Amino acid sequence: MASIGGGWWCRRGCHAPVLPLLPVLLAVLAAVVACAGRAPPAVAAPPMAAAAPVADQLPGMPPVLDTQNIYSAAGATMLSDAAKAARPLVYVPHTKSGDVWVIDPATFTVVAKHRLGGELQHVVPSYDMTTLYATDDIRHKVTPFDPRTGEPGASIPVIDPYNMYFTPDGRSAISVAEARRQLVFYDPHTWQLQGTVWTPDCAGIDHADFTADGRTAVFSCEWAGRVAVVDVASRRLLRMIDMPVRNTKMGPQDIRLAPDGSVFYIADSQQNGLWVLDGAATTVLRHIPTGHGAHGLYLSRDAKRLFVTNRHEGSISVLDAYTGAALAKWTVPGGSPDMGNITADGSQLWLSGRYDRAVYVLDTADGRLIHKFDVGRGPHGLCVWPQPGRYSLGHTGITR
């Protein structure tokens, strides 16, 4: 049966033979009546219609193109004009040595070392993908890099930027002020202060992601065993949600929204796996074991697989991004895989080795270690650039 205007007509099993016009009409009428009294016959499913838009999106946010995959615009090689202009490079910030190393991924060579000082945590792509920012939470600054050249510019004063995100409408940059338990909002172009959200019960606030409609942000509280849920438009703390086990030494860390927006995955290093929070950010549903020291979360280019870095175990867990089911586990011998990202074509996973002064390059097909670099002290929020997508939400390159 197929639907027309909300009614059903018989596509097959209800056709009359070729007859003069009046008998034909009577036969068709009888067939319709007969069809109405029983279940429609099985037919091949019609082509799937375009997914309905996400309801009540944050004003100014680019529309979700596919509700079953909110990352559909960030598929392999789907580069924006700004990203196409970038020189393909990998940026490695160091918390201990205070420099950013720049690697050419085509030749696996270090092409530059920029001494910036301070405690460099992450290299964060701007919302419009025209700038990369190295965040320094000790000297309260971000240092912009021009992705077209790989060169740094003059530093910009920013309060305690342990990490940095951008609201889905592009109107604000959010400095995640971990030491101060604050979210500090700035104009992302002028860097004028817009406002502050206090999160006094969120010790160790550090990582985040946004709901599919862009209206709500979830921030992890590493030293409080909970997450903070924030209304983006009003810049208001909505609620705190405790994890079923409140780990307060190395608790909730990286966060990633599932491709269909149904759940948030929250890495918990002490719990050795992921908490699963519902997509409305109200209830913790379950726990997924991965490995000792679960920390970073990265999606494959087709958004079907979720890579989880188990930092203390030296492994990568590969999960089904929709269901959380375990697919594979890869080992990085003697390693401490931490933060990084997938290459634009989806073929490689680059990760910093936080505790062993290394950077790893893995094949995303089978987890094979392609290359290992010896780098400086304390490599952390590594950024692979360019990245596909229409806009960046920050961190080391969350794009949609």
Side-chain angles (χ1 to χ4, degrees), residues 222-234:
E222 181 177 350
W223 307 325
R226 50 169 59 121
V227 295
V229 182
V230 175
D231 182 83
V232 173
S234 66

Side-chain angles (χ1 to χ4, degrees), residues 45-214:
M48 182 176 291
V54 172
D56 196 25
Q57 290 185 185
L58 181 71
M61 168 186 157
V64 173
L65 302 178
D66 181 355
T67 55
Q68 295 306 301
N69 179 14
I70 61 171
Y71 307 103
S72 63
T77 70
M78 297 174 66
L79 300 176
S80 67
D81 290 341
K84 288 178 182 177
R87 180 183 174 189
L89 294 169
V90 177
Y91 299 80
V92 187
H94 295 81
T95 59
K96 303 298 183 184
S97 55
D99 48 14
V100 173
W101 290 29
V102 183
I103 300 173
D104 184 335
T107 61
F108 294 124
T109 56
V110 177
V111 296
K113 299 178 184 179
H114 301 286
R115 174 71 181 174
L116 304 180
E119 186 174 86
L120 303 174
Q121 299 286 2
H122 303 88
V123 171
V124 179
S126 66
Y127 180 85
D128 60 9
M129 301 187 177
T130 61
T131 310
L132 307 175
Y133 294 101
T135 67
D136 176 1
D137 58 347
I138 295 298
R139 296 192 177 181
H140 301 282
K141 61 179 173 63
V142 297
T143 301
F145 279 75
D146 185 340
R148 296 170 300 179
T149 63
E151 294 296 317
S155 295
I156 301 166
V158 171
I159 296 171
D160 189 19
Y162 169 81
N163 210 339
M164 193 160 67
Y165 292 86
F166 296 88
T167 56
D169 58 7
R171 295 177 181 174
S172 301
I174 307 173
S175 172
V176 184
E178 182 182 64
R180 301 187 179 208
R181 306 189 190 191
Q182 296 177 5
L183 301 173
V184 188
F185 288 70
Y186 290 90
D187 182 297
H189 306 291
T190 66
W191 293 97
Q192 293 297 305
L193 183 66
Q194 293 178 332
T196 301
V197 175
W198 292 84
T199 57
D201 297 321
C202 187
I205 188 168
D206 48 26
H207 298 94
D209 205 352
F210 299 80
T211 53
D213 62 10

Side-chain angles (χ1 to χ4, degrees), residues 17-70:
V18 178
L19 298 169
L21 181 59
L22 181 58
V24 168
L25 293 176
L26 293 174
V28 170
L29 179 61
V32 170
V33 171
C35 284
R38 64 178 185 267
V43 296
M48 182 176 291
V54 172
D56 196 25
Q57 290 185 185
L58 181 71
M61 168 186 157
V64 173
L65 302 178
D66 181 355
T67 55
Q68 295 306 301
N69 179 14
I70 61 171

Side-chain angles (χ1 to χ4, degrees), residues 11 16 51 68-69 88 128 146 173 210 218 243 247 259 279 331 334 342 349:
R11 175 176 292 177
Q68 295 306 301
N69 179 14
D128 60 9
D146 185 340
F210 299 80
V218 180
M243 299 300 102
N247 296 307
T331 300
I342 307 291
L349 172 61

Side-chain angles (χ1 to χ4, degrees), residues 213-340:
D213 62 10
R215 288 188 169 275
T216 307
V218 180
F219 287 84
S220 60
C221 310
E222 181 177 350
W223 307 325
R226 50 169 59 121
V227 295
V229 182
V230 175
D231 182 83
V232 173
S234 66
R235 299 182 198 138
R236 180 169 57 92
L237 179 63
L238 296 175
R239 55 189 168 272
M240 304 294 300
I241 302 175
D242 292 348
M243 299 300 102
V245 179
R246 287 188 57 195
N247 296 307
T248 58
K249 184 178 180 181
M250 282 190 176
Q253 302 191 9
D254 204 8
I255 301 179
R256 189 55 48 90
L257 185 66
D260 59 2
S262 60
V263 297
F264 288 91
Y265 296 109
I266 304 170
D268 190 315
S269 185
Q270 266 183 274
Q271 200 65 25
N272 302 322
L274 312 183
W275 296 113
V276 181
L277 178 71
D278 74 300
T282 60
T283 306
V284 179
L285 304 174
R286 60 193 176 106
H287 178 261
I288 302 172
T290 59
H292 189 46
H295 180 61
L297 304 175
Y298 306 96
L299 285 165
S300 60
R301 279 284 155 248
D302 59 7
K304 292 181 179 179
R305 294 178 296 161
L306 179 69
F307 303 105
V308 184
T309 63
N310 303 308
R311 185 168 60 184
H312 299 155
E313 184 178 277
S315 71
I316 314 295
S317 293
V318 185
L319 308 181
D320 183 301
Y322 288 87
T323 68
L327 301 176
K329 197 168 193 178
W330 304 331
T331 300
V332 183
S336 55
D338 192 274
M339 288 285 168

